[in-house]
Each structure stands twice: as C-alpha cells, then as structure tokens.
C-alpha cells in the first residue's frame, strides 16, 4: 500500500534541513570570531559573509529539493488515484481541470488574489464544489459500498481502496484545492488584522489578569480556527452523509498545514525567557553602538543579525533569513573598509570571546529546539491520524460527527493522550532539559557581558550585589544559630524563649548588613 | 408542474445547498471573532481581581516571609462555628512554587474559612516573592529556620507548647521534614497532596526533574524564574489548557463565573521565583536522589529520619492528582513510626482538592474532626 504522502519524512527532512543550516552557520560564526580574536577583522568579515552565503544557499537548495520531491510524490499519487477512475464504467467522461478557465471564478487563478472578495469567492467555490459532486454522483454510490462498516478496519487500506475504486477527478479537485488555499490566505490575512486590532484594544484593559486571559483566549481561538480550516471540507462532507474526496482527506492530513496548528498551539507556551533574552540582546547591542566603538559596533551588528536569523529560522520563515542576510551583507560593505586599521583592546577581546560563546550556544539552542519541534510535530501528526481513523470509524457506524466542536473535543482528548505518552519518554525529557540548560547558560553569558562592559565604570554590578547578599545572608544565619541556641536553653529550663536575645541578635545582623553595604558603596 | 418551473425550483434548492459550506465557514469564523469581541468587552470591565479574602493579622515577619493569623469573625459567622473547637492552633505551610491564597481564594472557596467555621485557629506562612538577595537560602534555612521560627511564634502567640502543622504540596514535604527534625514541637501532622517518594514513575514532573540540569539553572539565575517553572506546568496538559481557554467564552456572560475563572488565572500565574540553593537541594536530593525515603537527606548537620515522626498523621491526597501522583504521597504512611495514621482521599485534582465544591464540603470538617479527637 502506498500512502498518499509521507508525514514522517516531511518532518524529518524539515529537521535535517534546519540542523544543517544551523550547523553551517555556527561553523562560519566560529571561524569569524576566531579570526576576530586574532585581530584579523578583514578575514573575520570575509569568513562570516562567505559562511552565511553558503549556509543560506544550501538551505534554499535543500528546501527546493524537498518541495520538488513532495510535488513529484503528489503527482504520482494523483496518477495512481486517477488511473482506475478513468477506466471506471460508472464515469465515462471525467472532468478536466483545464475547464476551470470557463467557470465564473476561473479568473481568480490568474488575477491578484488580494483583489478577490472572500465572500463572493466562498460562494462561488461552494457552487462549483456542489456541481462537481452532483456530476460525480454515480461513482460516489460505488464508493459508499467500498466504505461499508464490514470493510477493512485499517484506515489507510480503506483509504487506498476508496481511491483505487475511482475517487474523483483529481486534477479538477486540485484546482479547487488551489482556490481553497487562496481562501485560506485571505482568511489568515484577515486573522492577522483582527489580531492586531484586538491586541491594541486589550492593551487598555485595567486588569493584568484580564489582559493575559484575553491573550490566551485569542491564542486558543487561533488554534481552533487553524484546525477548523484544515478539517472543514472533510467534516462538512461527512456531516452531509457523503464520502469525502481524496483531496479533502489529503487536505485534512496535510503535514505542512498541520505544522501550523502545532506551531500556533505551542507558540504561546514557549518560555518568555527567550523573548527577554532577545530584548536584552538588542538593548545591549544598542548600548555598544552608542559607545561609538567601530569594532564593537560591527561585531554586535553581526550578533544581532545572526540572532534575528536564528529566530527567523525558528519561526520557519526562510524569507526572514534572506532579509537578515541581505541586511548583514550591506552592513559589512559599509563598515569593512575602516575596520582594517583598528587595534583591539582588552575589553573588546573579552567581549568578543563572550560573543563567541553566545553564538555557539545560540546555534546549539536552535539545533535543540529543532529536535524539540520535530518531536511535537511528529506526535501531533500521529494524533491526527488516530483522530482521522476514529472519525471514519464513527462514520462507518452511522454516527457521523455532527459539528466541529465535537471534533475539536475529540482532537483535544486524542492529542492529550498521545502527547502524554511522548512526555513520558526519556528522549523528550532529555531534549526539554537540554533547552533549559542552554537557556540558563545563555542568560549567564549575557550577564557576564554586562559585567565586562561595566567593569571600567563606577557602578555597582550584579556580582557586587551578590557579594553583599552573601555577606548579609551569612550574618543572618549566624544570628539565627545563636537564637536557636538561646531558644533551646530556654526550652531546657521549661520556658518559652523571650524576645530579648532575638532583638539583640537582630541588631547585630542589621549592623553587619550596614557595614557590608558601606563596603560596597566605597567600592 | 412544467419542466421549466421544476428546473427553476431545482436550481433554487441547489443554490441554497451550494451556499451551505461557505455559510458554515463564514458563520464559524465570524462566530469566533464575535465571541472574542464580547470577551474583550467583558474583560475591559474588570478593574481588579480580589483574592485572599479572609481577614488576617501579620504576627511575625523576616524579610519577605510573613506569618499570618486569621481572625474569627464576630456576629453571625461566630454563631455558625461548629464544635469541636480545637484548642491547638494549626500552622499551614504552603509550597514555595505558588501563592498560599489558593487556600483562601474567595468566600465560597476557602479552606481557611471552612477551618475557622469548624472551630480551628489558623496561622499561615506566606513565603513572599524572593529576590536575588534570597538566593542563598537553603532547604535548611526554610525548614529549620523559617518554619521553626513560625512554630516558635505560634507557640508564643497562642500560649501552647505544641502546634498542629498542615503542609500543602511542597509545603507538605517541608512540614514532614520539620516534624522529623522537631517532633517535640508538633502535636499532629497533616499533609495534603504531598510528594514524599520521588522515585515513582507515574508523574511527568517527577520524570522531567530527573533529567534537569538544576546546577545550570541555579548558577545562572540565582533565583530560578517562575516563567521556567510555569512552562513546565503548562506542558503537563497543553491541550487541556487550550480547551480551558475555549471554554472560557462561556464564562464571559456571567459575572460570577468570569470572576471565578479570573481568580484561578490570577493564582496560576502568580508564581514567585525559586531561591536557588533551596531549589537545587530540593531537585537534587529529593527528585533526583530520593534521599528523604532513603534516610540520607542532610539539613545542616542533621540527617532527616522519617521514623522520628511519631505524632498522629493525617495524609490527604487528591483522587486525580496529575502533579503529585498519590503513589508518591501515600508512601509517607509506610515510613513514619506514628501508630495513629490515616490516609484520606478527596475527590478532584491537585487544585480541585481545595476549590472543588465537594472538597469544600468534606475537607475542612474532616480535618477539624480529626484534630478535635487528638487535641490536648
């Protein structure tokens, strides 16, 4: 049996591509920083630029190859589906997708999608779908027989049999799918606009809890809508007591589309630590730029851009990476000529070394987060397949799902169970722990960077405060020990401790703390 | 009917049917956005979310840590206080992870109120929000220090030699350790949803903690940020969380339901950071090494021996606790020397045990009755 598309391959290939890109980027960043530390700024710029260029080119090639291969697989599958259909005695003259140009909405495929009225398009699309279904009614009757409850219980076998028996005019349905894609595009744009509007309105809420609640409700609604977009055609057909088209099934099980659902679900659960870190990185970069030091400025520009690129990659947006890359190249071109003559001082050298650590860790983080996402995607897909199977089983038992909320509830329950199994594995625990570990190290690296920046200035740094806190803590502990001894003596005498000794001890602690504070002030 | 009319009728019927799917899409999308808009409007009206409703006095403080004594209200409420009145006061020790007002969330969901109504004198430790200045505080500082100071204060304040200690979740572990170290100061020990055996396999947090690089976290942050811990809690049931927020739409038209929902939200995300050294030892010695059960847990120069617990023990657990599995909780009764010990199951989950309606009716009366029989 041949599956229509290979979900596991899709996610694995996505992960491998991401990891290869990050590895190449990390390697080039490392080389560039080494060169920078040796004082060879020109070489650093050259290495970094070439490295990024190569890494990006490879990523694009990999993405292209992946897309081509998937398209080719889809085409093969289409032919496989269409072949038995063409020879079906029930349908002598199958529809031809090319005839779309003659339909009232054929122009939409050649025109600008943004000029299309979504409501009109939806209505026309629905009309087209209906007329097509009507025309194909004879083979549908045959399909129902194939999908009878006494059939093969394996979902994919059922699916294949269904397809082989002559599902539908695949080429035409693919045109409908294209139109559906356009509708999705429009609905997503609408969603983004509404989100912006709602976000700005939520900002005026007087209660912080209310604001957070609304943000979470909006995120939840986004996931709900994404799942709805994915499953609507299939559910609608099932609700009407009809057999779904292969296109509808393909759409509902599309790994690329489903990835968006999983992204939307887990996006608002990513620890805000990374966002804070990114904000700190930006502010740090800005303060370095303000210092007017050319070498630091360029180095930090590189860091900032690279970080953006990594975050862009984590958002699975190759366009973002391309934009960052272009900006980076332009920055280099502007700055490179004046860089060659600049000597490096001790502080710059320390900063560059920490920057090297940070970049290495960012690469490591991106690698690990990719593995993490891969686990979530592949298990999300597993849950989706289970859900589909269960939906079809329900349909076979003549108890078709009647509304989307019902499906949504089942989807939640299925996923909760599948993800619980995933979360119990050592593999998941290890990857999650690794993410926490790298985030922690990154945070420390940034703190170190601030310390280095500030050490020549007359300001109290974090380590000074830590020193003070430790002194206060040790003094308080000594006081407490004395109090306990005192209390224990009182207990031995059959009395409850008086507060006299306690007050005296507290005074000692306060005095010690004041001395420690004074010591820091002097410094 | 002539052919033309029939054809027109078919066309009309077909046109009606044709629009079904588009109507469904538009209806669903606009429906969701309309509900969001209604929610926005309802949430705009919320000025503040009140929690921690019972009147109380601060009777002791040390830095961010405070000890509160709850007031018995005069008048009608006083008349409603049932017998038996427990003379020995109870000290509630909550977890460091969240805020203790979960036990006093709102008038009709308050374990504290219920205990007061059942004639129990209630004190509660509030750990506050530790800052980087507190990151050196160890497990020993919390248990032999703050808990012991609080016990000392309650003894003075109430004029008793021993107190009843009630520990919740991680606070239950603290209370258990305290009772093992200072058995002479504890008349009765009550634990609720308390992790004791950390080797159990049926808790996700327990499994994740075993893999955690706690040294990296503590060495980097000092006070481990609450966001990191919350991210872990959220991942326990990510899809149920999604359903919770979709279900919240229903609460938006009902002010009482909305405020109930928001109070829970307020509590869930009101999480203090974890003082580093204490957190390091809790994760390493308990979650990763299970030293409490093995009799190897060191606090300062002392080793914690659970067999030193001889006072009566009431060990309460939630029937459906996904945060602290009851296999971990129940273990306590096997390791203590107490002859008078009881396991008690309450319906609900880790949070429902305190706020669920059934729990509200059952939990406090059970505790009061149990304490009443073991009072001085």
């Amino acid at each position: 049996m041949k599956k229509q598309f290979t979900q596991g391959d899709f996610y694995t290939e996505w992960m491998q591509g991401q990891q290869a890109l990050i590895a190449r980027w990390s390697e080039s960043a490392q080389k560039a920083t080494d060169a920078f530390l040796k004082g060879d700024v020109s070489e650093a710029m050259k290495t970094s630029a070439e490295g990024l260029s190569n890494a990006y080119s490879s990523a694009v090639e990999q993405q292209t190859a992946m897309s081509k291969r998937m398209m080719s697989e889809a085409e093969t599958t289409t032919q496989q589906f269409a072949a038995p259909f063409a020879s079906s005695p029930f349908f002598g003259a199958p529809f031809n997708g090319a005839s779309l140009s003659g339909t009232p909405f054929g122009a939409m495929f050649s025109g600008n999608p943004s000029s299309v009225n979504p409501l009109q398009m939806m209505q026309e699309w629905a009309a087209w779908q209906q007329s097509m279904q009507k025309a194909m009614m004879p083979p549908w009757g045959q399909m129902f027989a194939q999908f009878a409850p006494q059939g093969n219980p394996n979902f994919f076998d059922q699916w294949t049999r269904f397809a082989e028996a002559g599902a539908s005019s695949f080429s035409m349905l693919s045109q409908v799918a294209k139109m559906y894609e356009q509708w999705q595009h429009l609905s997503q744009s609408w969603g983004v606009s509404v989100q912006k509007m709602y976000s700005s309105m939520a900002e005026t809420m007087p209660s912080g809890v209310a604001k957070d609640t609304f943000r979470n409700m909006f995120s939840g609604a986004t996931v709900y809508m994404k799942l709805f977009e994915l499953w609507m055609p299939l559910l609608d057909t099932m609700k009407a007591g009809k057999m779904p088209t292969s296109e509808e099934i393909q759409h509902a099980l599309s790994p690329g589309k489903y990835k968006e659902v999983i992204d939307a679900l887990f996006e608002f659960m990513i620890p805000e630590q990374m966002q804070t870190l990114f904000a700190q990185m930006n502010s740090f970069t800005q303060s370095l730029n303000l210092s007017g030091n050319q070498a630091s400025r360029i180095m930090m520009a590189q860091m900032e851009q690279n970080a953006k690129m990594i975050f862009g990659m984590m958002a699975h947006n190759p366009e973002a990476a391309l934009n960052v890359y272009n900006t980076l190249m332009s920055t280099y071109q502007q700055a490179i000529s004046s860089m060659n003559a600049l000597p490096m001082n001790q502080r710059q050298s320390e900063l560059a070394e920490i920057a090297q650590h940070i970049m290495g860790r960012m690469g490591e983080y991106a690698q690990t987060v990719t593995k993490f996402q891969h686990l979530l995607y592949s298990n999300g897909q597993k849950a989706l397949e289970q859900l589909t199977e269960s939906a079809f089983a329900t349909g076979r038992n003549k108890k078709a799902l009647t509304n989307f909320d019902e499906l949504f509830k089942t989807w939640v329950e299925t996923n909760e169970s599948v993800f619980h199994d995933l979360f119990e594995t050592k593999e998941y625990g290890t990857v999650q722990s690794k993410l926490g570990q790298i985030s922690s190290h990154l945070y420390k690296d940034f703190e170190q960077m601030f310390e280095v920046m500030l050490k020549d200035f007359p300001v109290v740094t974090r380590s000074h405060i830590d020193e003070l806190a430790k002194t206060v803590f040790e003094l308080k502990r000594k006081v407490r020990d004395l109090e306990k001894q005192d209390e224990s003596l009182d207990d031995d005498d059959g009395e409850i401790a008086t507060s006299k000794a306690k007050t005296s001890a507290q005074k000692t602690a306060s005095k010690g703390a004041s001395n420690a504070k004074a010591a820091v002030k002097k410094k | 009917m002539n052919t033309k009319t029939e054809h027109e009728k078919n066309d009309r019927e077909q046109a009606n049917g044709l629009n079904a799917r588009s109507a469904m899409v538009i209806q669903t999308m606009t429906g969701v956005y309309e509900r969001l808009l209604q929610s926005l409007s309802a949430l705009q009206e919320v000025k503040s979310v009140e929690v921690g409703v019972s009147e109380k006095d601060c009777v002791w403080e040390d830095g961010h840590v405070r000890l509160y004594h709850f007031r018995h209200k005069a008048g009608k409420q006083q008349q409603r206080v049932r017998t038996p009145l427990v003379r020995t006061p109870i000290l509630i020790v909550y977890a460091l992870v969240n805020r203790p007002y979960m036990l006093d969330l709102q008038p009709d969901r308050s374990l504290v109120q219920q205990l007061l109504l059942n004639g129990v004198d209630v004190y509660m430790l509030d750990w506050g929000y530790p800052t980087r200045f507190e990151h050196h505080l160890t497990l020993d500082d919390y248990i032999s220090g703050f808990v012991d100071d609080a016990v000392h204060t309650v003894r003075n304040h109430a004029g008793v030699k021993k107190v009843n200690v009630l520990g919740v979740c991680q606070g239950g572990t603290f209370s258990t350790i305290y009772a093992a170290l200072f058995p002479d100061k504890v008349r009765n020990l009550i634990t609720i949803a308390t992790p004791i055996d950390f080797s159990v396999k049926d808790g996700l947090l327990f499994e994740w903690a075993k893999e955690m690089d706690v040294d990296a976290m503590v060495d980097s942050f000092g006070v481990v940020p609450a966001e990191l811990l919350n991210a872990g809690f959220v991942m326990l049931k990510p899809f149920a969380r999604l359903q919770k927020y979709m279900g919240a739409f229903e609460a938006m038209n009902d002010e009482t339901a909305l405020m109930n929902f928001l109070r829970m939200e307020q509590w869930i995300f009101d999480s203090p950071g974890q003082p580093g050294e204490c957190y390091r030892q809790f994760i390493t010695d308990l979650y990763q090494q299970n030293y409490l059960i093995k009799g190897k847990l060191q606090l300062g120069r002392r080793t914690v021996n659970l067999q030193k617990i001889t006072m009566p023990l009431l060990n309460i657990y939630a029937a459906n606790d996904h945060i602290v599995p009851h296999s971990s909780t129940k273990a306590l009764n096997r390791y203590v020397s107490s002859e008078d010990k009881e396991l008690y199951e309450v319906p609900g989950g880790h949070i429902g045990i305190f706020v669920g309606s059934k729990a509200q009716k059952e939990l406090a009366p059970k505790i009061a009755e149990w304490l009443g029989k073991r009072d001085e």
Side-chain angles (χ1 to χ4, degrees):
Chain A
M1 184 197 79
K2 179 177 167 52
K3 282 190 183 185
Q4 192 168 359
F5 43 83
T6 47
Q7 295 94 338
D9 287 352
F10 176 86
Y11 293 119
T12 305
E13 215 164 315
W14 171 83
M15 179 178 75
Q16 286 165 351
Q18 294 287 87
Q19 290 188 329
L21 176 57
I22 296 159
R24 279 168 176 269
W25 168 79
S26 298
E27 194 186 336
S28 72
Q30 178 80 35
K31 280 181 189 166
T33 314
D34 285 346
F36 188 85
L37 284 169
K38 286 176 195 159
D40 193 347
V41 178
S42 176
E43 178 60 25
M45 300 295 113
K46 189 169 161 255
T47 309
S48 186
E50 282 176 4
L52 280 170
S53 178
N54 290 340
Y56 187 76
S57 306
S58 300
V60 171
E61 278 171 23
Q62 191 267 348
Q63 294 267 349
T64 311
M66 187 173 152
S67 305
K68 276 184 184 168
R69 200 175 59 73
M70 288 197 74
M71 281 169 70
S72 156
E73 276 181 13
E75 201 173 334
T76 311
T77 314
T78 306
Q79 284 164 3
Q80 188 189 8
F81 278 13
F85 170 75
S87 59
S88 165
F90 298 98
F91 204 88
F95 277 97
N96 184 343
S99 65
L100 266 177
S101 56
T103 68
F105 47 88
M108 287 175 191
F109 293 111
S110 54
N112 177 6
S114 61
S115 66
V116 174
N117 178 332
L119 183 63
Q120 182 199 355
M121 194 182 95
M122 284 302 305
Q123 287 168 344
E124 285 170 348
W125 170 61
W128 175 259
Q129 181 84 339
Q130 187 75 10
S131 61
M132 181 185 69
Q133 283 180 4
K134 191 183 170 191
M136 293 197 296
M137 201 50 81
W140 282 118
Q142 183 72 4
M143 294 312 107
F144 276 114
Q146 293 288 336
F147 251 91
Q150 67 271 19
N152 190 324
N154 181 292
F155 166 67
F156 283 106
D157 284 352
Q158 291 274 22
W159 181 7
T160 308
R161 287 173 62 199
F162 161 64
E164 283 170 355
S168 61
S169 172
F170 202 86
S171 58
M172 189 184 74
L173 279 173
S174 68
Q175 296 296 336
V176 175
K178 274 183 194 169
M179 192 183 283
Y180 185 74
E181 292 293 316
Q182 291 189 5
W183 168 74
Q184 271 198 312
H185 174 74
L186 290 167
S187 73
Q188 278 166 7
S189 304
W190 183 36
V192 169
S193 310
V194 174
Q195 187 170 13
K196 277 182 188 165
M197 183 181 77
Y198 281 9
S199 298
S200 59
M201 287 164 82
E203 282 308 306
T204 62
M205 283 182 190
S207 160
V209 185
K211 201 183 293 183
D212 290 344
T213 301
F214 183 75
R215 188 171 58 86
N216 288 331
M217 286 173 76
F218 197 97
S219 302
T222 306
V223 175
Y224 179 92
M225 288 306 301
K226 279 187 181 294
L227 195 68
F228 178 75
E229 284 170 9
L230 210 59
W231 270 70
M232 184 275 293
L234 185 62
L235 185 71
D236 188 36
T237 304
M238 288 172 75
K239 194 179 159 189
K242 296 172 186 167
M243 284 317 300
T245 64
S246 61
E247 189 67 20
E248 285 166 346
I249 298 170
Q250 185 186 41
H251 183 78
L253 288 175
S254 157
K257 291 283 167 200
Y258 195 62
K259 182 173 163 294
E260 289 176 16
V261 177
I262 299 289
D263 283 343
L265 176 74
F266 287 96
E267 188 183 32
F268 65 99
M269 292 171 188
I270 288 170
E272 289 177 359
Q273 210 59 44
M274 282 309 289
Q275 288 174 21
T276 310
L277 205 63
F278 193 35
Q280 283 177 355
M281 195 172 189
N282 274 332
S283 107
F284 176 66
T285 309
Q286 281 163 13
S287 54
L288 273 183
N289 282 341
L290 288 174
S291 75
N293 183 307
Q294 183 77 345
S296 299
R297 189 188 301 167
I298 298 300
M299 195 66 198
M300 290 309 116
Q302 181 186 350
M303 264 184 63
E304 185 185 21
Q305 299 294 9
N306 286 347
K308 276 184 187 167
M309 181 167 151
I310 289 240
F311 278 87
M313 289 189 311
M314 287 197 285
H316 330 117
N317 183 0
E319 291 274 329
L322 180 63
N323 291 338
V324 171
Y325 172 71
N326 287 337
T327 314
L328 187 64
M329 288 307 291
S330 147
T331 311
Y332 284 151
Q333 281 162 8
Q334 283 170 23
I336 201 158
S337 57
S338 56
M339 287 297 297
N340 294 326
L342 280 173
M344 281 177 58
N345 64 29
Q346 174 68 23
R347 193 163 66 101
Q348 286 167 339
S349 177
E350 280 183 62
L351 283 172
E353 205 165 335
I354 298 170
Q356 185 181 357
H357 280 300
I358 289 176
M359 284 190 284
R361 290 202 204 283
M362 290 290 276
E364 200 184 356
Y365 184 88
Q367 293 274 16
T368 314
V369 93
T370 308
K371 278 186 203 162
F372 183 74
Q373 286 172 306
H374 179 255
L375 286 175
L376 298 183
Y377 294 148
S378 46
N379 279 275
Q381 190 68 34
K382 188 175 158 189
L384 186 68
E385 285 171 10
Q386 282 186 15
L387 175 71
T388 315
E389 207 162 341
S390 128
F392 273 84
T394 313
R396 279 197 298 271
N397 293 326
K398 312 284 182 195
K399 290 177 188 169
L401 292 164
T402 52
N403 62 56
F404 182 70
D405 282 342
E406 202 181 326
L407 177 84
F408 184 73
K409 187 170 171 284
T410 315
W411 178 77
V412 165
E413 285 162 3
T414 309
N415 274 283
E416 204 70 275
S417 163
V418 167
F419 274 81
H420 187 272
D421 291 348
L422 165 71
F423 294 160
E424 276 187 325
T425 62
K426 192 170 173 62
E427 186 186 14
Y428 177 84
T430 309
V431 173
Q432 184 176 250
S433 164
K434 184 85 179 161
L435 282 177
Q437 184 194 51
I438 304 168
S439 306
S440 303
H441 286 314
L442 268 169
Y443 186 88
K444 198 172 184 183
D445 288 339
F446 274 98
E447 282 206 343
Q448 262 188 319
M449 211 168 214
F450 280 102
E451 292 270 325
V452 172
M453 274 181 68
L454 296 171
K455 74 177 182 183
D456 296 333
F457 300 99
V459 291
V460 178
T461 60
R462 175 61 60 85
S463 56
H464 292 143
I465 297 290
D466 282 348
E467 218 174 297
L468 170 68
K470 198 169 183 186
T471 308
V472 172
F473 168 77
E474 281 165 0
L475 284 167
K476 282 187 82 170
R477 180 177 268 175
K478 277 181 191 168
V479 170
R480 193 187 290 277
D481 287 347
L482 286 170
E483 279 178 355
K484 297 293 174 194
Q485 284 175 24
D486 186 46
E487 189 191 323
S488 145
L489 284 172
D490 282 346
D491 276 358
D492 288 346
D493 293 343
E495 295 168 11
I496 292 176
T498 62
S499 61
K500 196 176 172 184
K502 210 167 188 175
T503 314
S504 155
Q506 275 166 350
K507 278 182 185 167
T508 316
S510 306
K511 201 174 170 187
S514 306
N515 290 343
K517 276 179 188 165
V520 170
K521 266 189 180 174
K522 270 186 186 175
K523 189 166 177 162
Chain B
M1 197 185 291
N2 63 38
T3 311
K4 194 183 170 191
T5 314
E6 192 177 348
H7 189 68
E8 280 172 355
K9 189 189 169 208
N10 285 344
D11 279 353
R12 264 201 313 278
E13 281 173 359
Q14 193 180 330
N16 290 336
L18 295 179
N19 288 325
R21 188 174 283 181
S22 59
M24 187 172 82
V25 172
I26 292 161
Q27 193 182 357
T28 304
M29 286 192 80
T30 50
V32 169
Y33 285 112
E34 265 175 31
R35 287 160 89 189
L36 276 169
L37 200 60
Q38 283 167 5
S39 308
L40 194 68
S41 167
L43 291 166
Q44 288 273 15
E45 296 300 314
V46 178
K47 303 295 175 219
S48 63
V49 180
E50 302 294 331
V51 286
V53 290
S54 302
E55 287 183 23
K56 57 187 184 289
D57 302 299
C58 178
V59 292
W60 170 85
E61 64 182 303
D62 184 352
H64 293 92
V65 183
R66 285 178 172 75
L67 176 67
Y68 289 105
H69 181 222
F70 287 91
R71 292 184 198 169
H72 280 275
K73 280 185 186 168
K76 278 186 182 173
Q77 195 195 34
Q78 188 68 40
Q79 288 166 17
R80 282 164 54 208
V81 171
R82 296 167 209 151
T83 52
L85 290 170
V86 184
R87 169 155 159 61
T88 309
I90 196 166
L91 169 66
I92 299 178
V93 181
Y94 200 74
L96 295 174
V97 183
N98 281 103
R99 305 285 294 133
Y101 59 73
M102 162 51 70
L103 307 181
D104 188 31
L105 201 60
Q106 60 192 69
D108 58 340
R109 290 184 185 186
S110 167
L111 178 66
V112 170
Q113 282 282 322
Q114 291 297 319
L115 286 172
L116 291 172
L117 283 170
N118 281 276
V120 181
D121 193 13
V122 183
Y123 290 81
M124 185 155 75
L125 257 175
D126 180 343
W127 301 118
Y129 299 87
T131 65
R132 198 161 169 121
F133 264 91
E134 278 84 33
H135 85 267
H136 295 288
L137 289 171
T138 61
L139 201 53
D140 190 33
D141 291 315
Y142 272 95
I143 295 170
S144 310
F146 295 133
V147 175
D148 191 46
D149 285 350
V151 167
H152 179 80
T153 308
V154 175
R155 289 163 74 198
N156 278 340
H157 199 254
V160 294
K161 282 196 173 180
K162 289 185 175 187
V163 302
N164 294 322
V165 177
L166 185 158
V168 177
C169 187
Q170 183 191 31
T173 315
F174 283 16
S175 303
T176 302
I177 295 170
Y178 181 78
L181 292 176
F182 302 96
D184 295 341
K185 297 180 184 180
V186 182
R187 179 164 301 285
N188 297 296
L189 174 65
I190 301 173
T191 52
I192 304 182
T194 293
I196 296 291
D197 183 354
F198 293 83
S199 69
V200 297
K201 301 287 180 198
D202 49 349
L204 282 181
L205 283 181
F206 288 59
E207 290 302 303
W208 293 347
K210 286 182 181 69
E211 302 294 331
M212 188 190 289
D213 184 350
V214 69
D215 290 332
M217 288 170 93
V218 174
D219 293 343
S220 300
F221 293 104
V223 172
V224 178
E227 291 85 354
L228 284 183
L229 300 180
N230 272 338
F233 284 119
V234 161
M235 286 298 274
L236 287 174
K237 287 194 168 194
F239 292 86
R241 182 174 184 261
L242 175 69
Q243 201 171 28
K244 177 182 85 170
Y245 286 113
M246 291 309 289
F249 285 116
E250 303 304 322
M252 295 295 148
N253 297 323
D254 176 346
E255 195 183 338
T256 308
L258 173 61
M259 292 314 292
N260 286 351
F261 183 84
L262 290 178
R263 280 190 202 97
M264 279 302 296
E265 288 296 287
Q266 162 78 30
W267 177 79
I268 288 168
F269 294 104
D270 185 3
S271 315
Q274 297 299 295
E277 293 309 324
C278 179
Y279 187 68
R280 192 198 308 265
Q281 194 180 3
F282 202 81
I283 297 293
T284 310
D285 289 359
L286 296 175
Y287 276 102
Q288 294 177 346
Q289 301 297 334
N290 202 22
Y291 278 165
L292 182 59
I293 288 293
K294 291 176 182 170
K296 291 181 179 176
L297 182 67
Q298 287 284 132
L299 257 71
R301 292 191 209 96
R302 287 167 297 196
T303 305
V304 181
N305 181 356
L306 290 178
Q307 289 188 341
K308 293 275 176 68
I309 295 179
T310 52
M311 72 286 300
L313 166 70
L314 174 60
N315 186 359
I316 301 168
Y317 63 93
N320 302 304
D321 196 330
H322 73 290
I323 294 177
V324 180
H326 45 68
S327 52
S328 173
T329 306
K330 288 175 180 173
L332 179 60
N333 291 42
R334 295 199 299 272
Y335 289 90
V336 296
S337 301
S338 313
E339 287 180 7
D340 179 4
K341 54 190 173 186
E342 182 181 345
L343 267 175
Y344 185 74
E345 183 182 285
V346 177
H350 193 72
I351 311 302
I353 194 172
F354 303 110
V355 295
S357 56
K358 207 170 177 188
Q360 285 296 305
K361 283 179 199 157
E362 274 187 28
L363 192 56
K366 169 68 189 176
I367 292 170
E369 187 196 350
W370 188 85
L371 286 176
K373 288 179 183 168
R374 291 156 182 85
D375 208 9
E376 63 179 326

